[in-house]
Amino acid sequence: MLIPFSHWITPAINARRFTTQMYIYFLPPADDTTSDIANTGLSSEEVQVPTSDGGLEITEAQFLPASEWLRRAKMDEIIMFPPQVLLLSFVAQFLERAGERTPIPAAESYKRREELIKFIHSGDPAWSHKFISPRPLGSMPDGRLIMDLNHPGQELEGTEKRGDPERVILVKFKKEGPRGVEVRWLSEVKSHLRDHKSPL
């Protein structure tokens, strides 16, 4: 079952723009030997080893914990865009525990997944209904932009659509893609905003 997990719209300053609906999907836990998991919305089918699509769009496929993808991006081993970093940070927060051995028991995995799903459906609007078109609010001393996540995009101005008023993304855009992407609380960076005395 695909669960909506925010909607992103490329900033208006970009020459090429996209609108992307993000989803989350859960595979059955690795050690789940039960067949009666209908209440979780998951399938009991055998999990396949990830493979590429013959190089059309995907050259390599791999399953790794969310925290590992975030670590690789932080170390500049891979490029991840702000929506990926933000959403994977939530996944890591709810599904992983530092230092634990994997795979974890299926019952514990399902419990954590339910907590994440509850979070996705929480808030006003819920993460399942947030519309985000990042726009710069200022910059950090290291040159990274502070990107507002509460703006839904110029096409949706005047509607009730909105994003997240509490968090921002720090990012430095380079030719090869975004670098130094980090999720921070807006309250942590207010001193670096262009006009931090103005209400946001």
Side-chain angles (χ1 to χ4, degrees), residues 6-180:
S6 71
H7 191 109
W8 294 70
I9 302 170
T10 313
I13 60 173
N14 289 43
R16 298 180 65 186
R17 304 184 64 215
F18 304 91
T19 176
T20 305
Q21 175 65 56
M22 306 295 280
Y23 295 93
I24 189 167
Y25 175 81
F26 295 108
L27 293 172
D31 66 342
D32 186 6
T33 58
T34 66
S35 57
D36 184 18
I37 56 175
N39 291 333
T40 65
L42 302 172
S43 168
S44 60
E45 63 195 9
E46 180 181 357
V47 177
Q48 300 286 323
V49 175
T51 59
S52 76
D53 62 354
L56 298 177
E57 288 198 22
I58 302 171
T59 57
E60 182 182 0
Q62 189 177 20
F63 289 141
L64 291 171
S67 59
E68 175 59 16
W69 290 118
L70 294 170
R71 185 198 69 78
R72 292 185 180 191
K74 185 176 183 179
M75 299 301 292
D76 286 340
E77 297 174 10
I78 61 172
I79 292 176
M80 285 177 40
F81 285 78
Q84 297 168 305
V85 172
L86 178 65
L87 300 183
L88 280 178
S89 69
F90 292 143
V91 172
Q93 174 186 337
F94 283 92
L95 301 189
E96 301 178 35
R97 303 291 184 271
E100 73 180 352
R101 301 178 71 178
T102 56
I104 63 174
E108 176 64 17
S109 179
Y110 287 129
K111 177 183 175 183
R112 295 181 190 179
R113 293 175 185 203
E114 287 301 322
E115 291 172 352
L116 175 55
I117 292 172
K118 183 177 179 180
F119 168 77
I120 292 171
H121 292 295
S122 70
D124 182 25
W127 279 95
S128 55
H129 289 82
K130 288 187 189 298
F131 281 72
I132 302 171
S133 182
R135 61 179 178 180
L137 292 175
S139 60
M140 299 294 287
D142 62 7
R144 288 184 295 174
L145 293 174
I146 302 170
M147 303 299 288
D148 174 27
L149 300 181
N150 197 32
H151 186 245
Q154 63 182 15
E155 295 84 359
L156 295 175
E157 287 181 356
T159 71
E160 295 183 358
K161 304 291 186 185
R162 61 188 189 280
D164 180 26
E166 299 179 331
R167 297 170 182 83
V168 294
I169 288 282
L170 307 184
V171 59
K172 181 177 286 188
F173 290 104
K174 295 190 174 183
K175 185 176 181 180
E176 71 273 14
R179 295 292 188 181

Side-chain angles (χ1 to χ4, degrees), residues 179-197:
R179 295 292 188 181
V181 183
E182 183 183 354
V183 181
R184 296 281 288 275
W185 295 104
L186 174 62
S187 59
E188 294 178 312
V189 301
K190 277 199 170 181
S191 62
H192 302 289
L193 303 184
R194 288 184 180 134
D195 182 9
H196 61 275
K197 295 181 180 179

